[in-house]
Amino acid sequence: DAGYDSDDIRSCVMQQGATAVIAYRKNRVKVPEFDKDIYKERHKVENLFQKIKRYRRVAMRFEKLQTTFAAMVAIASILVWIKF
């Protein structure tokens, strides 16, 4: 997300040994490089989370136990997958 585009966050990610795959803001003077192919895959995952959170039970986390919450996430994922 371009909202997390800052040099501090990028350096923190690099210090942890990871690669920052953060889109840059349009008004940035020095444009950082990032792998656009990895960003496209990351975007697909973010869209999946967005679709899963359309189910109120998952978004509001009504389930108290981890196992029942995981089951609800699985059901929501299946419903998204079959486009219900």
Side-chain angles (χ1 to χ4, degrees), residues 67-80:
T67 54
T68 54
F69 179 71
M72 288 308 301
V73 170
I75 291 170
S77 300
I78 291 168
L79 292 173
V80 167

Side-chain angles (χ1 to χ4, degrees), residues 25-52:
R25 292 185 179 160
K26 304 278 186 221
N27 62 350
R28 196 163 168 106
V29 176
K30 183 181 174 190
V31 178
E33 292 184 19
F34 68 98
D35 191 351
K36 292 185 181 183
D37 293 328
I38 294 175
Y39 185 77
K40 287 178 185 177
E41 296 299 317
R42 178 178 172 243
H43 185 67
K44 289 179 186 177
V45 172
E46 288 178 7
N47 286 345
L48 174 65
F49 281 115
Q50 176 189 9
K51 290 176 184 176
I52 288 174

Side-chain angles (χ1 to χ4, degrees), residues 50-66:
Q50 176 189 9
K51 290 176 184 176
I52 288 174
K53 287 186 176 182
R54 288 182 188 164
Y55 296 94
R56 187 168 178 244
R57 238 182 140 115
V58 175
M60 302 303 292
R61 194 167 179 142
F62 289 143
E63 314 305 326
K64 300 295 181 203
L65 299 177
Q66 182 179 357

Side-chain angles (χ1 to χ4, degrees), residues 4-31:
Y4 295 102
D5 179 30
S6 74
D7 292 331
D8 292 337
I9 292 175
R10 288 180 186 277
S11 65
C12 180
V13 170
M14 298 284 269
Q15 287 175 355
Q16 294 178 5
T19 303
V21 183
I22 304 170
Y24 56 86
R25 292 185 179 160
K26 304 278 186 221
N27 62 350
R28 196 163 168 106
V29 176
K30 183 181 174 190
V31 178

